[in-house]
Amino acid sequence: MNAIVKVENVGMSFDTKKGRFVALQDVNLQIHSGEVVSLIGHSGCGKSTLLNLIAGLTLPTSGVMLCNGREIAGPGPERAVVFQNHSLLPWLTCFENVHLAVERVFGAREGREALKARTARALDMVHMAHAAHKLPQEISGGMKQRIGIARAFAMEPKILLMDEPFGALDALTRAALQDELIGVMEKTGATVVMVTHDVDEAVLLSDRVVMMTNGPAATIGEILAVDLPKPRDRLQLAHDARFAEHRAAILEFLYQKQMKRAA
Amino acid sequence: MTTATLARGLEGPSAAEMDCGSRNVTPAARDGAATEAPVAASPAPGPVVNRPSVGEYFGNFMRAVLPPLIGLALVVGLWALVAMKSSDFPGPSKTLDAAVVLFSDPFYSNGPNDQGIGWNILSSLKRVAVGFGVAALVGIPLGFIIGRFAFMNSMLAPIISLLRPVSPLAWLPIGLMVFKAADPASTWTIFICSIWPMILNTAQGVQRVPQDYLNVARVLNLSEFRIITKILFPSVLPYMLTGIRLSIGTAWLVIVAAEMLTGGVGIGFWVWDEWNNLKVEHILIAIFVIGIVGLLLEYLLLLIARRFSYGVN
């Protein structure tokens, strides 16, 4: 297996009024093709910072970040991002929001009809074809996030980065979208890195769960390989002993080894 | 500045709507309330909704219409009372009579100093449109530049803060000197007073483009042209329209004063001319007319602004 993203000895610090704040230190991680990796940890542990570094939205203060063997110097469409608050442009319809991305990535190579077909396929994949010509403000939060996911997948990125993609949704909608995501990942074989603070979500969706220590100067504490067969079904997993074991391992890490003092 | 602008922006619509609403409803209030209420409340086939009964409907209607009506009646009553005590202050009925005469022929023209009230309003509006249009052409691009480049912001901010509080009328002599004519000089004052809100609001809009949208642009690696057309411009537009609305409000305030000083055809000069003729009832009419035109301008821009406002999501 070849690594799509390599993170080597990466550190990230910010200059604040109170002096230098070290957010991440000595982070080493490799993400392989077709793999789904979750980053989990207490809030403030720098998991979103790590995701932004892979996205190229911020650049590390030390260490090396590689994507496909090339240094990550900034954001780019081969590393698509699904933002927590979906970040759809409110003045564009759902179709236009997705199309903006499709046009940017494939516009040079494909004709107009092919681009439109791509956009339509992406919307269809998340079952949102019916809302193609609605504005984001006219659809629900869960639907907006579906469009955000469709936009990211439509770019056919080498790696898909998701920053707490379902964090702002209620539990039932979240479950529906997780199932949706499982289906889409199954179809596309996408490589995914996802920030989450939901233990069940991490085990359900990922091949590996990267557990991060508490900040400041956070780093990777443990990595758990989830050896549950795919495709996974949440109802069956509920009675699966290995699922419970994995879940317990993460909980133990979060609430025993990395107990957060004042919440 | 920021909060003041926004607060005005938010308060504007409701105030304007209420005013316009009462104006539309007033004539229907007396005879309409009784006859219309039952029609609207008559049961329609369909799902069972909690329909207001006739009494409720009438109550809501009165609650909406009664307070503005009482306010209006109070003002007119007070006015009539004051007019009764004074020998040269015309009362409501005398003013109304004068208005009927005045508006029966609004577009007559007996030479440059004696034209109908329609012409006077139109020439004032024309000056506002020209001064305001040039201010938009200059102010909006300047606002974009100030908002986008911190250097330009620090360079121009002190100058703008210094000049903004100056009454635009102080610029009138400069206009007279430069243009050697009264008409472009009053247009010039309109330009000066409209440009500040336009620059400041546009700049603020540019500075407040949500970081999320810019992140989307960065991840998609959009071209500068795409960023401007798909992200910057639509997200700045509501701020720009607020600037335009504030500008047109001030411009309409200033034009009356500027025309009083420069003369010529225009509603401001007309007020002054009627004062010289001691036709106080015409001055009162002018006050109403200026108020109504200002209200209409504001309302028009609010309609446009609403078309371009998107829910925060």
Side-chain angles (χ1 to χ4, degrees), chain B residues 108-132:
Chain B
Y108 73 88
S109 177
N110 299 329
N113 279 333
D114 186 14
Q115 300 202 2
I117 188 159
W119 287 125
N120 281 296
I121 295 171
L122 283 182
S123 36
S124 291
L125 279 175
K126 201 184 100 196
R127 284 192 195 104
V128 166
V130 172
F132 171 82

Side-chain angles (χ1 to χ4, degrees), chain B residues 210-251:
Chain B
Q211 190 57 42
D212 290 342
Y213 301 162
L214 295 177
N215 278 344
V216 170
R218 290 177 64 199
V219 168
L220 297 186
N221 211 348
L222 295 179
S223 63
E224 191 67 22
F225 175 74
R226 276 282 145 124
I227 292 179
I228 289 172
T229 54
K230 295 281 180 186
I231 293 176
L232 276 188
F233 190 75
S235 95
V236 173
L237 198 61
Y239 288 86
M240 239 161 62
L241 286 168
T242 303
I244 287 174
R245 213 174 76 236
L246 293 176
S247 299
I248 215 154
T250 346

Side-chain angles (χ1 to χ4, degrees), chain A residues 21-42:
Chain A
F21 174 76
V22 181
L24 292 175
Q25 206 169 35
D26 297 326
V27 177
N28 285 289
L29 182 65
Q30 293 203 347
I31 293 150
H32 303 286
S33 178
E35 194 180 28
V36 181
V37 174
S38 291
L39 306 177
I40 198 165
H42 289 287

Side-chain angles (χ1 to χ4, degrees), chain A residues 56-57 75-77 79 81 83 85-91 100-101 103-104 136-137 144 151 155, chain B residues 210 212-213 215-216 218-223 226 229-232 234-236 309-313:
Chain A
L57 288 168
R79 279 164 284 129
V81 182
F83 298 94
N85 57 356
H86 56 77
S87 294
L88 300 178
L89 300 174
W91 41 84
L100 190 67
E103 221 178 9
R104 180 70 192 95
Q137 71 206 41
K144 284 180 208 167
R151 174 170 68 184
M155 293 157 73
Chain B
D212 290 342
Y213 301 162
N215 278 344
V216 170
R218 290 177 64 199
V219 168
L220 297 186
N221 211 348
L222 295 179
S223 63
R226 276 282 145 124
T229 54
K230 295 281 180 186
I231 293 176
L232 276 188
S235 95
V236 173
S309 69
Y310 299 91
V312 183
N313 61 108

